[in-house]
Amino acid sequence: MKRMLVNATQEEELRVALVDGQKLFDLSIDLPSREQKKANVYKARISRIEPSLEACFVDYGAQRHGFLPLKEVSKECFRQQPQGSRMNIRELLSEGQEIIVQVEKEERGTKGAALTTFISLAGRFLVLMPNNPRAGGVSRRIEGEDRDQMREVMSQLQIPDGMGAIVRTAGVGRSAPELQWDLDNLKAQWQQIEAAARERPAPFLVFRESDAVTRAMRDYLSDDIGEVLVDGQAAFQKAQEYMQRFMPAEAQRRLKLYTDDIPLFTRFQIESQIESAYAHKVQLPSGGSIVIDYTEALVSIDINSARATRGSDIETTATNTNLEAAEEIARQLRIRDIGGLIVIDFIDMELPKNQREVEDRLRDAMKMDRARIQIGRLSRFGLLEMSRQRLRPSLGETSHIVCPRCVGIGSIRSVESMTLAVLRLIGEELRKDRTARVIAQVPVSVATYLINEKREWLRTLEDKSEAELIIVPNENIQTPEYSIRRVRDDELELPEQRQATYLMPTAPEVAEPGSAQDKKPATDAPAVAALLPATAAPAPAPPAAAARAQPPGEAHVGFWSRLKRLLAGEATTAGAEPAPLSDAAAPARTGRRDE
């Protein structure tokens, strides 16, 4: 049975895991100390227009301005309607103009948030696009007969002019009244957002996306989830409030408060599986492994056969390892929420049949992913390129910090290499005109190597330049950190230049003590609070098969028998006329043969 587990016992993070038995297949970790801005709605002001980028920078209340491309600007925001040919962005928008925007992508590194004026409000079954009438339709993840069925249900909805709605995967099999109920709630929410945006000048927060528990219930709670276990009282109350607002009474029984002494995730044995999401190398059941490396441009995944020797030959071993790796890679991408460009280096396979099998296995494993994914083909070098939509900041971005020693490179220079580099830089400073003194602060290991192995070089440099050279071993710094300071001849008499050498080492930086609660950013109160539905959620519609139940006498009669009797003018079977169906059970006559 599939379960949703919500772990809220630690105030520093809230974890939501989806498990099938004891197998973890999706994970979401929310940090209260990190404010999430994605899907928030702001009233903002255009601060700068860049015609070269066909975009503008927008002040929406954050320290770093957001980025708004022209293609993400609704025509309602234009000062004048474009006349046929392409117009300059300055003719369409103006600096200081106030607009309503939504955060589409969070800030990453030095990049500001990506914004859009095409607002989307997510509900239980629908996503409402209040200013984008062309965006209506059915989610891309809904395929086959379900897609045709949902198109038919969507045609029955009363969608206001100028708006569009998209059916989510949670809306599959829902009736028109259920979808209309969700649409009316979202429409009322948008009306409140519009009213609040007119009350105050920009910039300010108009509407905040739901909290972590409500988001998890909305995005992950599907009909195949048999049980929802929450181990925190506060989180349980939020989940219970959501269920009462948006779920029918029979579905609310799935929510349970977990009160056992054994931790929730330990009970289902998924803690070790979660820890694999933080590891650089992930082991495969057959003995192979995958290695995940993050770079500025892409994420590279390498597959190693390692101790995998179960195959009868090298081709079979490579294929089996690649098939195992394909399933594990799909799982790791979901758990870590890795987005962007991903390159997978599979073990070389000679047979095209095996290559296609690995590609198909990867595609099948990706089907349960909520993100949009594009997968290429295996190249002749054994590389497969794919891209994955970035739903939220990845697990690495939220829980890791850049190594202060290597600054994210992953390796540092050796003591010998570092010493030679410092020696050459000291020589450059000593050869400059009017140099009276050069002070080099280096790690103790580098200073030891300089003073002993390179003593003659230091003496030669000092004699040729007629300047004073001071080597200061600093135990507070490590390779590759160092500092070289040049003192001119007119600066020698300054008071700071008369300091004793043992007082020269810089003191270590002492971090101010503080907890995660102290680091939690101050969040502004939104102008529009979460809206409670005016009416309770409608009960699910009964299955269509029950409404099309046949009379007992017709149950055993085949199609050809009925056709013969119809041509012969016989209306009933066995000489008895069946009882007429009630209006509620009568099948709708749409001309379809199966009805």
PDB file of all heavy atoms in Angstrom, residues 187-213:
ATOM      1  N   LYS A 187     -11.730  31.134  -8.539  1.00  0.00           N
ATOM      2  CA  LYS A 187     -12.215  32.405  -9.096  1.00  0.00           C
ATOM      3  C   LYS A 187     -12.440  33.429  -7.985  1.00  0.00           C
ATOM      4  O   LYS A 187     -12.075  34.609  -8.130  1.00  0.00           O
ATOM      5  CB  LYS A 187     -13.508  32.153  -9.870  1.00  0.00           C
ATOM      6  CG  LYS A 187     -14.012  33.351 -10.644  1.00  0.00           C
ATOM      7  CD  LYS A 187     -15.178  32.958 -11.538  1.00  0.00           C
ATOM      8  CE  LYS A 187     -16.349  32.436 -10.712  1.00  0.00           C
ATOM      9  NZ  LYS A 187     -17.540  32.151 -11.541  1.00  0.00           N
ATOM     10  N   ALA A 188     -13.002  32.993  -6.866  1.00  0.00           N
ATOM     11  CA  ALA A 188     -13.202  33.901  -5.732  1.00  0.00           C
ATOM     12  C   ALA A 188     -11.867  34.370  -5.168  1.00  0.00           C
ATOM     13  O   ALA A 188     -11.723  35.533  -4.754  1.00  0.00           O
ATOM     14  CB  ALA A 188     -14.029  33.197  -4.648  1.00  0.00           C
ATOM     15  N   GLN A 189     -10.892  33.467  -5.161  1.00  0.00           N
ATOM     16  CA  GLN A 189      -9.561  33.833  -4.680  1.00  0.00           C
ATOM     17  C   GLN A 189      -8.929  34.896  -5.580  1.00  0.00           C
ATOM     18  O   GLN A 189      -8.324  35.860  -5.089  1.00  0.00           O
ATOM     19  CB  GLN A 189      -8.682  32.581  -4.638  1.00  0.00           C
ATOM     20  CG  GLN A 189      -7.409  32.732  -3.838  1.00  0.00           C
ATOM     21  CD  GLN A 189      -6.718  31.392  -3.677  1.00  0.00           C
ATOM     22  OE1 GLN A 189      -6.183  30.838  -4.625  1.00  0.00           O
ATOM     23  NE2 GLN A 189      -6.736  30.867  -2.463  1.00  0.00           N
ATOM     24  N   TRP A 190      -9.080  34.765  -6.895  1.00  0.00           N
ATOM     25  CA  TRP A 190      -8.511  35.744  -7.815  1.00  0.00           C
ATOM     26  C   TRP A 190      -9.211  37.101  -7.663  1.00  0.00           C
ATOM     27  O   TRP A 190      -8.560  38.153  -7.750  1.00  0.00           O
ATOM     28  CB  TRP A 190      -8.637  35.246  -9.245  1.00  0.00           C
ATOM     29  CG  TRP A 190      -8.271  36.276 -10.274  1.00  0.00           C
ATOM     30  CD1 TRP A 190      -9.092  36.843 -11.191  1.00  0.00           C
ATOM     31  CD2 TRP A 190      -6.985  36.875 -10.461  1.00  0.00           C
ATOM     32  NE1 TRP A 190      -8.405  37.758 -11.945  1.00  0.00           N
ATOM     33  CE2 TRP A 190      -7.101  37.804 -11.525  1.00  0.00           C
ATOM     34  CE3 TRP A 190      -5.754  36.717  -9.842  1.00  0.00           C
ATOM     35  CZ2 TRP A 190      -6.029  38.561 -11.977  1.00  0.00           C
ATOM     36  CZ3 TRP A 190      -4.680  37.484 -10.288  1.00  0.00           C
ATOM     37  CH2 TRP A 190      -4.821  38.385 -11.338  1.00  0.00           C
ATOM     38  N   GLN A 191     -10.498  37.095  -7.412  1.00  0.00           N
ATOM     39  CA  GLN A 191     -11.212  38.358  -7.220  1.00  0.00           C
ATOM     40  C   GLN A 191     -10.695  39.097  -5.992  1.00  0.00           C
ATOM     41  O   GLN A 191     -10.557  40.331  -6.008  1.00  0.00           O
ATOM     42  CB  GLN A 191     -12.718  38.095  -7.093  1.00  0.00           C
ATOM     43  CG  GLN A 191     -13.368  37.622  -8.388  1.00  0.00           C
ATOM     44  CD  GLN A 191     -14.793  37.151  -8.198  1.00  0.00           C
ATOM     45  OE1 GLN A 191     -15.271  37.023  -7.051  1.00  0.00           O
ATOM     46  NE2 GLN A 191     -15.488  36.870  -9.296  1.00  0.00           N
ATOM     47  N   GLN A 192     -10.369  38.362  -4.939  1.00  0.00           N
ATOM     48  CA  GLN A 192      -9.787  38.983  -3.757  1.00  0.00           C
ATOM     49  C   GLN A 192      -8.391  39.539  -4.046  1.00  0.00           C
ATOM     50  O   GLN A 192      -8.014  40.601  -3.557  1.00  0.00           O
ATOM     51  CB  GLN A 192      -9.717  37.975  -2.612  1.00  0.00           C
ATOM     52  CG  GLN A 192     -11.052  37.650  -1.991  1.00  0.00           C
ATOM     53  CD  GLN A 192     -10.896  36.961  -0.637  1.00  0.00           C
ATOM     54  OE1 GLN A 192      -9.780  36.710  -0.184  1.00  0.00           O
ATOM     55  NE2 GLN A 192     -12.013  36.653   0.011  1.00  0.00           N
ATOM     56  N   ILE A 193      -7.593  38.805  -4.847  1.00  0.00           N
ATOM     57  CA  ILE A 193      -6.249  39.274  -5.193  1.00  0.00           C
ATOM     58  C   ILE A 193      -6.334  40.573  -5.991  1.00  0.00           C
ATOM     59  O   ILE A 193      -5.590  41.530  -5.741  1.00  0.00           O
ATOM     60  CB  ILE A 193      -5.504  38.187  -5.996  1.00  0.00           C
ATOM     61  CG1 ILE A 193      -5.172  36.993  -5.085  1.00  0.00           C
ATOM     62  CG2 ILE A 193      -4.228  38.735  -6.623  1.00  0.00           C
ATOM     63  CD1 ILE A 193      -4.576  35.813  -5.807  1.00  0.00           C
ATOM     64  N   GLU A 194      -7.239  40.629  -6.958  1.00  0.00           N
ATOM     65  CA  GLU A 194      -7.404  41.845  -7.760  1.00  0.00           C
ATOM     66  C   GLU A 194      -7.823  43.027  -6.889  1.00  0.00           C
ATOM     67  O   GLU A 194      -7.309  44.148  -7.041  1.00  0.00           O
ATOM     68  CB  GLU A 194      -8.447  41.608  -8.847  1.00  0.00           C
ATOM     69  CG  GLU A 194      -7.925  40.912 -10.082  1.00  0.00           C
ATOM     70  CD  GLU A 194      -8.950  40.916 -11.198  1.00  0.00           C
ATOM     71  OE1 GLU A 194     -10.122  40.616 -10.925  1.00  0.00           O
ATOM     72  OE2 GLU A 194      -8.568  41.219 -12.344  1.00  0.00           O
ATOM     73  N   ALA A 195      -8.745  42.798  -5.960  1.00  0.00           N
ATOM     74  CA  ALA A 195      -9.223  43.875  -5.096  1.00  0.00           C
ATOM     75  C   ALA A 195      -8.102  44.371  -4.182  1.00  0.00           C
ATOM     76  O   ALA A 195      -7.937  45.581  -3.985  1.00  0.00           O
ATOM     77  CB  ALA A 195     -10.422  43.392  -4.281  1.00  0.00           C
ATOM     78  N   ALA A 196      -7.313  43.438  -3.618  1.00  0.00           N
ATOM     79  CA  ALA A 196      -6.238  43.832  -2.703  1.00  0.00           C
ATOM     80  C   ALA A 196      -5.122  44.573  -3.443  1.00  0.00           C
ATOM     81  O   ALA A 196      -4.488  45.473  -2.878  1.00  0.00           O
ATOM     82  CB  ALA A 196      -5.673  42.597  -2.008  1.00  0.00           C
ATOM     83  N   ALA A 197      -4.873  44.218  -4.704  1.00  0.00           N
ATOM     84  CA  ALA A 197      -3.796  44.867  -5.456  1.00  0.00           C
ATOM     85  C   ALA A 197      -4.104  46.327  -5.750  1.00  0.00           C
ATOM     86  O   ALA A 197      -3.186  47.126  -5.972  1.00  0.00           O
ATOM     87  CB  ALA A 197      -3.553  44.100  -6.762  1.00  0.00           C
ATOM     88  N   ARG A 198      -5.382  46.696  -5.762  1.00  0.00           N
ATOM     89  CA  ARG A 198      -5.746  48.083  -6.052  1.00  0.00           C
ATOM     90  C   ARG A 198      -5.671  48.985  -4.825  1.00  0.00           C
ATOM     91  O   ARG A 198      -5.766  50.210  -4.944  1.00  0.00           O
ATOM     92  CB  ARG A 198      -7.168  48.137  -6.625  1.00  0.00           C
ATOM     93  CG  ARG A 198      -7.290  47.549  -8.021  1.00  0.00           C
ATOM     94  CD  ARG A 198      -8.653  47.877  -8.632  1.00  0.00           C
ATOM     95  NE  ARG A 198      -9.718  47.134  -7.964  1.00  0.00           N
ATOM     96  CZ  ARG A 198     -10.226  45.990  -8.415  1.00  0.00           C
ATOM     97  NH1 ARG A 198      -9.741  45.447  -9.521  1.00  0.00           N
ATOM     98  NH2 ARG A 198     -11.191  45.375  -7.752  1.00  0.00           N
ATOM     99  N   GLU A 199      -5.490  48.397  -3.640  1.00  0.00           N
ATOM    100  CA  GLU A 199      -5.583  49.180  -2.415  1.00  0.00           C
ATOM    101  C   GLU A 199      -4.284  49.888  -2.044  1.00  0.00           C
ATOM    102  O   GLU A 199      -4.316  50.940  -1.417  1.00  0.00           O
ATOM    103  CB  GLU A 199      -6.024  48.284  -1.247  1.00  0.00           C
ATOM    104  CG  GLU A 199      -7.438  47.734  -1.405  1.00  0.00           C
ATOM    105  CD  GLU A 199      -7.795  46.777  -0.284  1.00  0.00           C
ATOM    106  OE1 GLU A 199      -6.890  46.493   0.541  1.00  0.00           O
ATOM    107  OE2 GLU A 199      -8.943  46.306  -0.237  1.00  0.00           O
ATOM    108  N   ARG A 200      -3.121  49.310  -2.410  1.00  0.00           N
ATOM    109  CA  ARG A 200      -1.840  49.862  -1.952  1.00  0.00           C
ATOM    110  C   ARG A 200      -0.890  50.028  -3.129  1.00  0.00           C
ATOM    111  O   ARG A 200      -1.005  49.323  -4.138  1.00  0.00           O
ATOM    112  CB  ARG A 200      -1.199  48.914  -0.921  1.00  0.00           C
ATOM    113  CG  ARG A 200      -1.943  48.819   0.386  1.00  0.00           C
ATOM    114  CD  ARG A 200      -1.497  47.619   1.200  1.00  0.00           C
ATOM    115  NE  ARG A 200      -0.051  47.539   1.358  1.00  0.00           N
ATOM    116  CZ  ARG A 200       0.569  46.486   1.910  1.00  0.00           C
ATOM    117  NH1 ARG A 200      -0.140  45.454   2.335  1.00  0.00           N
ATOM    118  NH2 ARG A 200       1.879  46.479   2.038  1.00  0.00           N
ATOM    119  N   PRO A 201       0.075  50.947  -3.002  1.00  0.00           N
ATOM    120  CA  PRO A 201       1.088  51.088  -4.053  1.00  0.00           C
ATOM    121  C   PRO A 201       2.134  49.980  -3.955  1.00  0.00           C
ATOM    122  O   PRO A 201       2.366  49.407  -2.884  1.00  0.00           O
ATOM    123  CB  PRO A 201       1.715  52.463  -3.763  1.00  0.00           C
ATOM    124  CG  PRO A 201       1.506  52.659  -2.290  1.00  0.00           C
ATOM    125  CD  PRO A 201       0.206  51.987  -1.959  1.00  0.00           C
ATOM    126  N   ALA A 202       2.767  49.652  -5.079  1.00  0.00           N
ATOM    127  CA  ALA A 202       3.792  48.603  -5.125  1.00  0.00           C
ATOM    128  C   ALA A 202       5.076  49.117  -4.454  1.00  0.00           C
ATOM    129  O   ALA A 202       5.295  50.328  -4.345  1.00  0.00           O
ATOM    130  CB  ALA A 202       4.057  48.228  -6.578  1.00  0.00           C
ATOM    131  N   PRO A 203       5.953  48.194  -3.998  1.00  0.00           N
ATOM    132  CA  PRO A 203       5.819  46.730  -4.050  1.00  0.00           C
ATOM    133  C   PRO A 203       5.307  46.163  -2.725  1.00  0.00           C
ATOM    134  O   PRO A 203       5.637  46.662  -1.662  1.00  0.00           O
ATOM    135  CB  PRO A 203       7.259  46.284  -4.301  1.00  0.00           C
ATOM    136  CG  PRO A 203       8.086  47.320  -3.595  1.00  0.00           C
ATOM    137  CD  PRO A 203       7.326  48.615  -3.658  1.00  0.00           C
ATOM    138  N   PHE A 204       4.521  45.091  -2.814  1.00  0.00           N
ATOM    139  CA  PHE A 204       4.104  44.373  -1.608  1.00  0.00           C
ATOM    140  C   PHE A 204       3.582  42.996  -2.004  1.00  0.00           C
ATOM    141  O   PHE A 204       3.240  42.738  -3.163  1.00  0.00           O
ATOM    142  CB  PHE A 204       3.043  45.159  -0.823  1.00  0.00           C
ATOM    143  CG  PHE A 204       1.701  45.238  -1.493  1.00  0.00           C
ATOM    144  CD1 PHE A 204       0.686  44.346  -1.175  1.00  0.00           C
ATOM    145  CD2 PHE A 204       1.442  46.214  -2.441  1.00  0.00           C
ATOM    146  CE1 PHE A 204      -0.556  44.425  -1.779  1.00  0.00           C
ATOM    147  CE2 PHE A 204       0.192  46.301  -3.045  1.00  0.00           C
ATOM    148  CZ  PHE A 204      -0.805  45.397  -2.715  1.00  0.00           C
ATOM    149  N   LEU A 205       3.540  42.106  -1.003  1.00  0.00           N
ATOM    150  CA  LEU A 205       3.084  40.732  -1.195  1.00  0.00           C
ATOM    151  C   LEU A 205       1.562  40.702  -1.167  1.00  0.00           C
ATOM    152  O   LEU A 205       0.946  41.109  -0.179  1.00  0.00           O
ATOM    153  CB  LEU A 205       3.661  39.821  -0.106  1.00  0.00           C
ATOM    154  CG  LEU A 205       3.165  38.364  -0.072  1.00  0.00           C
ATOM    155  CD1 LEU A 205       3.542  37.635  -1.349  1.00  0.00           C
ATOM    156  CD2 LEU A 205       3.741  37.642   1.149  1.00  0.00           C
ATOM    157  N   VAL A 206       0.969  40.211  -2.245  1.00  0.00           N
ATOM    158  CA  VAL A 206      -0.489  40.151  -2.329  1.00  0.00           C
ATOM    159  C   VAL A 206      -1.007  38.810  -1.833  1.00  0.00           C
ATOM    160  O   VAL A 206      -1.941  38.745  -1.030  1.00  0.00           O
ATOM    161  CB  VAL A 206      -0.962  40.397  -3.777  1.00  0.00           C
ATOM    162  CG1 VAL A 206      -2.484  40.364  -3.844  1.00  0.00           C
ATOM    163  CG2 VAL A 206      -0.440  41.717  -4.298  1.00  0.00           C
ATOM    164  N   PHE A 207      -0.395  37.722  -2.306  1.00  0.00           N
ATOM    165  CA  PHE A 207      -0.901  36.384  -1.964  1.00  0.00           C
ATOM    166  C   PHE A 207       0.278  35.430  -1.815  1.00  0.00           C
ATOM    167  O   PHE A 207       1.179  35.406  -2.664  1.00  0.00           O
ATOM    168  CB  PHE A 207      -1.841  35.885  -3.068  1.00  0.00           C
ATOM    169  CG  PHE A 207      -2.309  34.471  -2.876  1.00  0.00           C
ATOM    170  CD1 PHE A 207      -3.267  34.155  -1.931  1.00  0.00           C
ATOM    171  CD2 PHE A 207      -1.774  33.441  -3.630  1.00  0.00           C
ATOM    172  CE1 PHE A 207      -3.696  32.849  -1.746  1.00  0.00           C
ATOM    173  CE2 PHE A 207      -2.195  32.139  -3.461  1.00  0.00           C
ATOM    174  CZ  PHE A 207      -3.159  31.843  -2.511  1.00  0.00           C
ATOM    175  N   ARG A 208       0.291  34.674  -0.712  1.00  0.00           N
ATOM    176  CA  ARG A 208       1.363  33.715  -0.470  1.00  0.00           C
ATOM    177  C   ARG A 208       0.871  32.309  -0.774  1.00  0.00           C
ATOM    178  O   ARG A 208      -0.251  31.934  -0.418  1.00  0.00           O
ATOM    179  CB  ARG A 208       1.849  33.791   0.968  1.00  0.00           C
ATOM    180  CG  ARG A 208       2.901  32.733   1.296  1.00  0.00           C
ATOM    181  CD  ARG A 208       3.455  32.843   2.697  1.00  0.00           C
ATOM    182  NE  ARG A 208       4.399  33.935   2.815  1.00  0.00           N
ATOM    183  CZ  ARG A 208       4.241  35.011   3.585  1.00  0.00           C
ATOM    184  NH1 ARG A 208       3.142  35.128   4.319  1.00  0.00           N
ATOM    185  NH2 ARG A 208       5.130  35.952   3.640  1.00  0.00           N
ATOM    186  N   GLU A 209       1.747  31.549  -1.442  1.00  0.00           N
ATOM    187  CA  GLU A 209       1.454  30.140  -1.712  1.00  0.00           C
ATOM    188  C   GLU A 209       1.248  29.397  -0.391  1.00  0.00           C
ATOM    189  O   GLU A 209       1.749  29.811   0.656  1.00  0.00           O
ATOM    190  CB  GLU A 209       2.620  29.536  -2.509  1.00  0.00           C
ATOM    191  CG  GLU A 209       2.605  28.038  -2.657  1.00  0.00           C
ATOM    192  CD  GLU A 209       1.482  27.538  -3.564  1.00  0.00           C
ATOM    193  OE1 GLU A 209       0.362  28.068  -3.488  1.00  0.00           O
ATOM    194  OE2 GLU A 209       1.715  26.586  -4.304  1.00  0.00           O
ATOM    195  N   SER A 210       0.551  28.302  -0.423  1.00  0.00           N
ATOM    196  CA  SER A 210       0.190  27.563   0.786  1.00  0.00           C
ATOM    197  C   SER A 210       1.429  27.115   1.562  1.00  0.00           C
ATOM    198  O   SER A 210       2.537  27.039   1.022  1.00  0.00           O
ATOM    199  CB  SER A 210      -0.651  26.339   0.414  1.00  0.00           C
ATOM    200  OG  SER A 210      -1.731  26.706  -0.397  1.00  0.00           O
ATOM    201  N   ASP A 211       1.230  26.784   2.842  1.00  0.00           N
ATOM    202  CA  ASP A 211       2.332  26.288   3.672  1.00  0.00           C
ATOM    203  C   ASP A 211       2.747  24.896   3.206  1.00  0.00           C
ATOM    204  O   ASP A 211       2.103  24.282   2.349  1.00  0.00           O
ATOM    205  CB  ASP A 211       1.907  26.251   5.145  1.00  0.00           C
ATOM    206  CG  ASP A 211       0.710  25.350   5.363  1.00  0.00           C
ATOM    207  OD1 ASP A 211       0.913  24.143   5.552  1.00  0.00           O
ATOM    208  OD2 ASP A 211      -0.432  25.847   5.327  1.00  0.00           O
ATOM    209  N   ALA A 212       3.847  24.394   3.779  1.00  0.00           N
ATOM    210  CA  ALA A 212       4.452  23.149   3.305  1.00  0.00           C
ATOM    211  C   ALA A 212       3.505  21.956   3.431  1.00  0.00           C
ATOM    212  O   ALA A 212       3.433  21.110   2.533  1.00  0.00           O
ATOM    213  CB  ALA A 212       5.743  22.879   4.081  1.00  0.00           C
ATOM    214  N   VAL A 213       2.765  21.865   4.539  1.00  0.00           N
ATOM    215  CA  VAL A 213       1.865  20.730   4.733  1.00  0.00           C
ATOM    216  C   VAL A 213       0.716  20.768   3.724  1.00  0.00           C
ATOM    217  O   VAL A 213       0.396  19.766   3.068  1.00  0.00           O
ATOM    218  CB  VAL A 213       1.314  20.722   6.175  1.00  0.00           C
ATOM    219  CG1 VAL A 213       0.315  19.592   6.358  1.00  0.00           C
ATOM    220  CG2 VAL A 213       2.456  20.579   7.176  1.00  0.00           C
TER     221      VAL A 213
END
